[in-house]
Amino acid sequence: MNVRLLALLAAFSTAVIYGASYTIAKDLMPVFIKPHALIFFRVIGTAILFWLVSFFIKREKIERRDYGRIVICALLGTSVNMLFFYKGLNTALPIIASAIGVATPLMVFVFSLIFLKEKIVKTRILGLIIGLIGAFVLITYKQDLEGDSGAIIGNFYVFLNASFYGLYLVIVKTLLVKYNPIHLVKWMYTLSIFIVLPFSYKEILLVDWIAMPRPIYFELLFIIVFTTFINYLFNLFALTKLKPTTVSVFVYLHPVFASAYALLVGSDSLSVVKVSITLIIFIGVYLVTKPVKTTTVVK
């Protein structure tokens, strides 16, 4: 099997894993593990796995001036964002949550405009407006939620996760140029253990490990090992062998697989509104991320 095909398979696998993880996480929460406790287990488990892998990679010394940026990246990309995500997913529907998550590239563009002074392009601004309108409609969507305002708050938390992660992707770029991603991520997850612990320790004590069914243990391992660790390695491998634009296309598959898995196990249902608004978000993300001619730049 050639390397390009392996890279495509890795990128495809990440979409499948992410899609399934929305429903699997909801199987865990809140009956067996509360949202913040789940984040702690995910963070500490991932940190251990990355530390193990890092022993096989040449050691690197982190420059003191980069400590602050790494802490910020840990806050935005591996702790606070997940605190919002799992708290939101606790009440949000899997299909809607996965569609809102696709809005991350929109937020990357917003923060690139603010911090990287990226040029304002008409097509991308249009895509941003379209995508954010779609996200707003999904966040406030209540048709099959029996009027539960908690679901709307949950949807908003998922959007906050996408926003924080978008900012993280902008800030972490300079660090990825200087350091091996494995070493960088291991330190971010290590820091995140101490960031999330104050929010999680009460919920950790509530976990009844003896009463927990065996399938729940496997689902917890799936979230720790596959959703975070394996997916990161797969995505990193895909990025080294494929163009970033090629890898980014697989983001569109996350809601597809999330919907398929949720429908398969009966944790969610499709509707015309969900499908149509998700497509609107897709259009917005496509316009924001596609290459544009410099002649369309607004002066």
Side-chain angles (χ1 to χ4, degrees):
M1 186 179 295
N2 64 52
V3 175
R4 177 177 171 80
L5 186 57
L6 280 173
L8 289 170
L9 182 60
F12 180 83
S13 298
T14 62
V16 175
I17 293 170
Y18 275 130
S21 67
Y22 285 90
T23 295
I24 290 174
K26 286 187 71 68
D27 286 345
L28 296 167
M29 304 181 299
V31 177
F32 300 104
I33 302 176
K34 301 294 183 183
H36 290 167
L38 179 56
I39 294 165
F40 178 80
F41 297 135
R42 178 176 176 177
V43 166
I44 194 170
T46 304
I48 291 170
L49 290 171
F50 275 112
W51 269 98
L52 291 174
V53 172
S54 71
F55 290 132
F56 299 94
I57 300 172
K58 184 180 178 181
R59 294 181 64 182
E60 291 181 333
K61 184 178 180 180
I62 305 295
E63 295 181 15
R64 182 174 296 182
R65 63 180 179 178
D66 290 327
Y67 289 171
R69 187 179 287 266
I70 292 175
V71 171
I72 293 173
C73 287
L75 284 166
L76 296 173
T78 57
S79 57
V80 175
N81 67 312
M82 285 198 284
L83 288 170
F84 280 113
F85 177 72
Y86 281 116
K87 192 70 174 178
L89 191 59
N90 192 39
T91 56
L93 293 170
I95 293 175
I96 290 180
S98 64
I100 294 172
V102 176
T104 297
L106 301 177
M107 303 314 297
V108 170
F109 176 59
V110 170
F111 292 122
S112 295
L113 288 174
I114 297 172
F115 296 105
L116 303 181
K117 307 301 180 183
E118 186 166 316
K119 294 180 179 179
I120 298 176
V121 180
K122 291 179 180 178
T123 305
R124 290 180 175 173
I125 294 297
L126 176 62
L128 177 64
I129 294 171
I130 292 173
L132 290 180
I133 289 174
F136 175 78
V137 173
L138 276 187
I139 289 171
T140 57
Y141 179 56
K142 291 174 60 174
Q143 179 178 326
D144 54 357
L145 304 183
E146 300 180 358
D148 184 8
S149 60
I152 294 179
I153 296 173
N155 294 339
F156 180 66
Y157 283 163
V158 173
F159 180 75
L160 284 179
N161 160 69
S163 300
F164 281 124
Y165 196 73
L167 180 55
Y168 156 76
L169 291 175
V170 172
I171 294 176
V172 79
K173 186 178 293 186
T174 56
L175 294 174
L176 289 173
V177 174
K178 294 178 64 174
Y179 305 110
N180 185 295
I182 299 297
H183 287 300
L184 189 61
V185 172
K186 82 175 181 185
W187 283 116
M188 286 193 296
Y189 273 101
T190 301
L191 289 168
S192 294
I193 294 172
F194 302 99
I195 295 171
V196 304
L197 184 58
F199 301 93
S200 306
Y201 77 95
K202 289 184 179 179
E203 294 185 358
I204 293 170
L205 298 175
L206 295 175
V207 179
D208 189 345
W209 297 103
I210 297 175
M212 189 180 295
R214 183 173 296 179
I216 298 300
Y217 281 99
F218 289 115
E219 290 186 326
L220 177 58
L221 284 174
F222 179 91
I223 293 296
I224 295 171
V225 178
F226 286 92
T227 303
T228 311
F229 178 69
I230 296 297
N231 258 10
Y232 184 88
L233 295 181
F234 278 1
N235 199 51
L236 186 62
F237 172 70
L239 284 170
T240 61
K241 305 301 178 183
L242 303 170
K243 295 179 180 179
T245 50
T246 302
V247 177
S248 66
V249 169
F250 288 90
V251 173
Y252 294 100
L253 295 179
H254 293 184
V256 175
F257 289 118
S259 301
Y261 190 82
L263 293 172
L264 180 67
V265 300
S267 65
D268 202 345
S269 60
L270 280 179
S271 69
V272 174
V273 173
K274 290 179 185 176
V275 174
S276 58
I277 299 303
T278 300
L279 290 175
I280 289 175
I281 294 176
F282 281 0
I283 292 171
V285 172
Y286 170 74
L287 292 175
V288 164
T289 57
K290 80 166 188 172
V292 293
K293 296 179 180 180
T294 55
T295 54
T296 59
V297 174
V298 178
K299 296 182 178 180

